[in-house]
Amino acid sequence: MLSSMHSTLASSHAVGGSPFRRHVARGQRNGRRTVRPQAVAAQPSAASAEKELWLPTPHYCESIYQTRRRPTRTIYVGKVPVGSEHPLARQTMTTTDTRDVEATVEQVKKCADAGADIVRITVQGKREATACLKIRDRLFQDRYDTPLVADIHFQPTVAMMVADAFEKIRINPGNFADGRKSFEEINYDDPAQFARERESFRETFMPLVEKCKALGRAMRIGTNHGSLSARILSYYGDTPRGMVESAFEFADMCRDADYHNFLFSMKASNPLVMVQAYRLLSEEMYAKGWDYPLHLGVTEAGEGEDGRMKSAIGIGALLMDGLGDTIRVSLTEDPEFEIVPCGALAALGTRAQTERWGVEPFEEHRDTHLFNRRVGELPGQKEGDVLDMRSILHRDGSVISSLSLEDLRTPETTYRNLGCKMAVGMPFKDIATSDSIFLREVPAEDDAQARRALRRLQEVGVHVLAEAEALAASPLPDSVAVISLAAALAARAEGRSPLPAGAVRLALAVDGTEPDADVEAAGGLDATLVLLRVAPGVSRVHASRRVFEALTRARCHLPVVHALEFAPGTGREELVLSAGALVGALMVDGRGDGVMLSAPGQDLAYLRTTSFGLLQGVRMRNTKTDYVSCPSCGRTLFDLQEVTDQIRQKTGHLPGVAIAIMGCIVNGPGEMADADFGYVGGAPGKIDLYVGKEVVRRAIPMESACDQLVELIKEHGRWKDPEPEEEGEGQEEKQAVMA
């Protein structure tokens, strides 16, 4: 099935190393679930202990074993219907100054020509609202009827004005009526006080509801994790529950007016928080009998491969569960470039839904309210081991690289492509070196160069996994033999060892079609890990869920590495989006201990860095600086792409450090929750610097702001100087790979 997924796409902090803040929620005690927690942790917390109480997976989607689209009502955004009876609508957002009518009109046209179904425009004041009337009129004159969405923060009056022109209004519950940008805690000893404050919002919000109803306008009630109000933060904490309840307050008022032409969004820059929030929203709508559509997106995802990976993880995970009716991939790039990855993810989700990817029904117990990472037991040392076998896997998530015999003909190039440091021609492990390698073919015993290259890798802790049949034909000392689960069970039944000569550890290959009883028996085979290579034509997400359920039921703690093999000719963007969606859908639930990506003809170094990017995107293992970067809009007070590049050049060598780069104040302080340091536009030409959510330097001239950010990182002990470049042959290649 994976190769067919690829054709569809073509057609269209390590957990322990990040300062996670945790809010203990009602209904949670010592990490165990009771009945239904009112809130969940704002950041994922790893947990390896078995839960004493197993509850079925909450009803947040139509099926946990098959992709079935959640039935939603149809709402109309101008001419575009949005809902489960219609194709997934693709969206983007302009980055021009909205007051510049000509530039904005031209950018909307570019987006529409690229395939955007809906385009959003920021409207921060009355002058922008006035310009919107001209923008809409100009586009109609030029025969562009693409529906336009007004992005509103803090300005109810402006929303009323622009509703005369645009087909849809996006309001942010965190600041539409309660615009206090404060993180001071409010003491709500009396819940009635909290409820009374909610009623006070009616006076501000209801005129817009009535106007949208009268004019046939649509509305998005779009909650952002980074801009929850002080009121919501104080009552629910910085949690997905707070995000959902914030949106429901405004939805209840819409329903009171018999206005139903609206949908929801639950955006966060952290894909794990984003997925938790959407699932909780959907679960609560099932309980209420509501059927409003969902707009999916990971906010402030960033640029390039990292931005695409984060978006694929969050959006892809939800699409595989049949959730979502319209999509935006938020990238720090020109808006028309968002449409290709947006369309690719929409095509992937559509195919999964129409073809009903899935497996036979099974009972599942997965906690979607509280992140519990299933942590596999790491390999240990055994008596008689010649090498240190503990480094086969990494505690924060492992990367295994697939090598060919051709790779072994150029050892130094291969060492560099695996991320090794080099000293006098010898490899050494670095922070982003592959943990192990995998061979389908083993070099012949008389191939001295290839065998010497493998031995040098083994001696520095990069271990060798190989197919058992290949090892039987050409034994390799201290190797890890990969054998199918069925063959390993058969060997045990016959009383013989499944290991070929030279192999000292066993890796079980599981394809997702095995009987549950066989999977449950895996824990008794003295294996080191499970290599989950889902069979062609089988749904990876659903088959893997069944495997993890069986392992958990048997209390088997074998580490599981997701292995994906792509078809020859698979492009880089397609590879990133596929891996992010299909593996990310599992890792957002803590299901998986590593990844192995194989793609014939694709660059080995690229596959390695993409694998590490996936682990970082699901908050498992940090190997590079993490950037929370907004996609830019008309509010942005500087050239976001240029500044992001400047900051990346100066700080890109700081793994474990998260830096937020925000064009304006709308989401800035709140998204600092996902970052250690923040660079936020405060006024034209002026930058505010943050540590966490606290602004520590205000109104810094842009010319010196990047240097002052570096100073701030140094002051807080998070800086290290870049390592000197290696001397010698191959340096230019290494620089290209590490970039």
Side-chain angles (χ1 to χ4, degrees), residues 32 195 256 306 355 384 450 497 652:
R32 303 170 190 157
D256 288 347
D306 290 342
E355 295 182 2
S497 170

Side-chain angles (χ1 to χ4, degrees), residues 149-378:
V149 183
D151 194 56
I152 301 293
H153 297 268
F154 303 108
Q155 297 284 355
T157 303
V158 172
M160 291 290 288
M161 291 177 62
V162 78
D164 287 323
F166 283 6
E167 288 81 4
K168 181 179 171 186
I169 309 295
R170 180 273 170 118
I171 64 108
N172 183 341
N175 58 39
F176 185 83
D178 180 11
R180 295 172 286 185
K181 292 303 292 186
S182 164
F183 299 100
E184 296 180 3
E185 186 170 343
I186 304 169
N187 188 357
Y188 287 108
D189 288 332
D190 181 7
Q193 177 190 350
F194 182 81
R196 284 194 298 271
E197 289 186 0
R198 177 182 58 206
E199 290 303 309
S200 70
F201 299 161
R202 286 183 177 274
E203 184 177 345
T204 303
F205 183 54
M206 290 308 289
L208 178 63
V209 172
E210 295 293 353
K211 186 166 189 176
C212 287
K213 181 179 177 182
L215 295 177
R217 305 305 192 201
M219 185 184 296
R220 170 158 68 98
I221 302 174
T223 305
N224 267 25
H225 181 230
S227 55
L228 294 174
S229 68
R231 174 175 165 273
I232 290 291
L233 285 170
S234 298
Y235 196 76
Y236 291 105
D238 188 8
T239 64
R241 170 62 66 180
M243 295 170 67
V244 171
E245 295 299 337
S246 178
F248 279 175
E249 290 184 337
F250 284 78
D252 284 337
M253 288 185 271
C254 291
R255 289 172 58 84
D256 288 347
D258 197 25
Y259 171 69
H260 301 281
N261 200 39
F262 67 88
L263 49 68
F264 291 108
S265 66
M266 297 278 128
K267 294 194 179 184
S269 60
N270 180 338
L272 276 66
V273 173
M274 172 262 199
V275 170
Q276 283 186 20
Y278 275 104
R279 286 173 171 174
L280 181 61
L281 171 69
S282 181
E283 177 188 346
E284 292 296 331
M285 283 205 281
Y286 274 116
K288 290 174 176 286
W290 292 5
D291 59 355
Y292 299 105
L294 296 177
H295 166 127
L296 303 185
V298 176
T299 193
E300 282 94 33
E303 62 180 350
E305 179 186 320
D306 290 342
R308 285 161 174 78
M309 180 63 79
K310 285 183 183 178
S311 295
I313 291 166
I315 296 171
L318 296 168
L319 290 175
M320 291 302 103
D321 279 326
L323 302 180
D325 302 285
T326 180
I327 301 171
R328 186 208 173 180
V329 174
S330 300
L331 300 174
T332 310
E333 301 175 16
D334 292 340
E336 61 269 25
F337 296 137
E338 296 181 349
I339 301 303
V340 171
C342 183
L345 288 172
L348 177 64
T350 298
R351 182 155 191 181
Q353 293 159 10
T354 56
E355 295 182 2
R356 293 289 179 94
W357 291 354
V359 296
E360 290 299 312
F362 66 95
E363 186 176 338
E364 189 193 39
H365 304 81
R366 176 164 44 97
D367 191 346
T368 59
H369 295 154
L370 181 64
F371 182 85
N372 284 282
R373 179 182 164 198
R374 178 193 177 275
V375 181
E377 292 180 354
L378 293 175

Side-chain angles (χ1 to χ4, degrees), residues 41-64:
Q43 302 284 7
S45 300
S48 58
E50 298 284 352
K51 289 178 286 187
E52 292 182 0
L53 176 61
W54 259 28
L55 296 179
T57 303
H59 181 209
Y60 71 90
C61 63
E62 286 292 288
S63 169
I64 52 89

Side-chain angles (χ1 to χ4, degrees), residues 653-672:
H653 62 288
L654 301 173
V657 174
I659 300 173
I661 307 168
M662 300 292 169
C664 71
I665 201 69
V666 167
N667 290 327
E671 294 299 348
M672 298 305 109

